[in-house]
Amino acid sequence: MSAGMKVGAVIITMGNRPDELRALLDSVAKQDGDPVQVVVVGNGSPVPDVPEGVKTVELPENLGIPGGRNVGIEAFGPGGRDVDILMFLDDDGLLAHTDTAELCRKAFAEDPRLGIISFRIADPDTGVTQRRHVPRLRASDPMRSSRVTTFLGGANAVRTQVFAEVGGLPDEFFYAHEETDLAWRALDAGWMIDYRSDMVLYHPTTAPSRHAVYHRMVARNRVWLARRNLPAPLVPVYLGVWLLLTLLRRPSGPALKAWFGGFKEGWTSPCGPRRPMKWRTVWRLTRLGRPPVI
């Protein structure tokens, strides 16, 4: 059954890492089983030279991470329907093993309710997985695979039927929390999410705050995430918890100012359609170890 599942890969690039992109494409080409179809999206920039057979799309402007990935999805037909599975890979990553695509086929074939797989991200030099890259609260053991409630945006695989049922990533988020928005909608539709430690993407160790817009986007999109997806009584609880956690982390003055600016923007700007999750989904998230208040 798994042998018949078609796998595609979406990679977005700003065109500034041609060597890393080529290494990633080579690692995708080396995957066992049927060839993985690849689309590289130039997000407001030309796409560097790529091997023959790799499809490219060049956008006139940067649509952000979710917007660029959504364009990549549509390159495989509406909702990605021309393939059964789509992998989303950061352009400076590298698939560590040649069996990742086959493991994805097997996992999705064996579990018809599995909608999303989150790969393990490891530093290529040290093999270390950062705690923030384990998508669960109990993150001390990155080698333990488990059911989870969210996934890593640049190292994952999604059954394309999920997009057909719940839609794509939220374009308006641009950067930060777009994966959790999709994850919550998928869970609300009855899909499950797995973190798999044996599916590895090598990626240099980085800090998310390297992005200039990090603090504003994280705060704004956190509010949008709650406004779009949570039952009304949980919205102030969820945002209150994250406000407290932010203050306890004692960010710098400029970072805190940017965070509060984004928090205000999240309340005063349109966030897209509101579709609050069912209370049974809240209970499912809680049973999976991450109630939607943290």
Side-chain angles (χ1 to χ4, degrees):
M1 182 177 177
S2 63
M5 301 189 82
K6 297 179 181 178
V7 180
V10 173
I11 302 165
I12 59 174
T13 184
M14 300 292 290
N16 55 350
R17 293 190 281 237
D19 294 339
E20 292 90 338
L21 174 61
R22 177 55 71 102
L24 171 62
L25 292 172
D26 289 344
S27 75
V28 174
K30 293 175 182 176
Q31 290 299 297
D32 301 333
D34 292 337
V36 176
Q37 303 173 46
V38 182
V39 169
V40 178
V41 178
N43 212 354
S45 67
V47 175
D49 290 338
V50 297
E52 185 178 355
V54 173
K55 184 176 181 178
T56 62
V57 180
E58 294 185 352
L59 302 176
E61 62 178 310
N62 183 354
L63 299 182
I65 293 173
R69 287 182 177 145
N70 282 337
V71 169
I73 294 168
E74 295 302 306
F76 289 95
R81 68 183 182 190
D82 293 345
V83 293
D84 303 293
I85 303 164
L86 276 177
M87 296 192 296
F88 296 85
L89 308 169
D90 276 351
D91 69 341
D92 55 346
L94 184 76
L95 288 174
H97 310 299
T98 61
D99 63 352
T100 303
E102 280 288 85
L103 288 173
C104 286
R105 291 185 181 101
K106 183 179 179 182
F108 285 119
E110 291 180 347
D111 185 350
R113 296 314 299 167
L114 179 61
I116 303 172
I117 300 172
S118 189
F119 302 165
R120 180 167 64 90
I121 292 179
D123 185 272
D125 297 321
T126 66
V128 171
T129 296
Q130 291 180 272
R131 187 180 182 91
R132 71 183 182 90
H133 284 152
V134 182
R136 59 178 179 243
L137 291 179
R138 295 178 181 177
S140 59
D141 182 7
M143 301 307 294
R144 179 173 67 87
S145 299
S146 69
R147 294 283 201 202
V148 290
T149 61
T150 188
F151 63 98
L152 307 175
N156 69 79
V158 181
R159 190 191 298 265
T160 53
Q161 190 179 345
V162 172
F163 298 127
E165 288 192 17
V166 306
L169 296 154
D171 286 338
E172 51 270 79
F173 277 42
F174 196 84
Y175 162 77
H177 302 318
E178 66 272 5
E179 303 92 352
T180 301
D181 186 88
L182 176 60
W184 283 0
R185 285 183 281 127
L187 288 163
D188 197 47
W191 295 102
M192 301 302 292
I193 305 170
D194 278 357
Y195 166 73
R196 288 284 297 264
S197 64
D198 57 336
M199 302 182 190
V200 182
L201 184 83
Y202 284 147
H203 189 282
T205 298
T206 57
S209 54
R210 71 190 186 278
H211 299 290
V213 296
Y214 171 76
H215 296 286
R216 181 176 70 87
M217 291 291 195
V218 162
R220 184 197 68 180
N221 292 0
R222 184 80 70 183
V223 177
W224 281 359
L225 182 67
R227 289 175 58 196
R228 286 164 59 97
N229 295 287
L230 290 180
L234 294 186
V235 173
V237 179
Y238 177 81
L239 295 176
V241 168
W242 278 103
L243 173 61
L244 179 61
L245 287 173
T246 299
L247 294 175
L248 289 175
R249 290 169 179 168
R250 302 177 67 180
S252 67
L256 192 60
K257 182 179 179 181
W259 192 94
F260 274 110
F263 191 79
K264 178 181 178 181
E265 185 181 351
W267 285 107
T268 58
S269 57
C271 64
R274 172 168 166 76
R275 299 187 181 95
M277 67 178 65
K278 307 174 190 72
W279 282 104
R280 68 185 180 194
T281 304
V282 173
W283 176 236
R284 175 187 289 181
L285 288 162
T286 302
R287 286 189 292 110
L288 289 170
R290 189 149 197 165
V293 294
I294 189 170

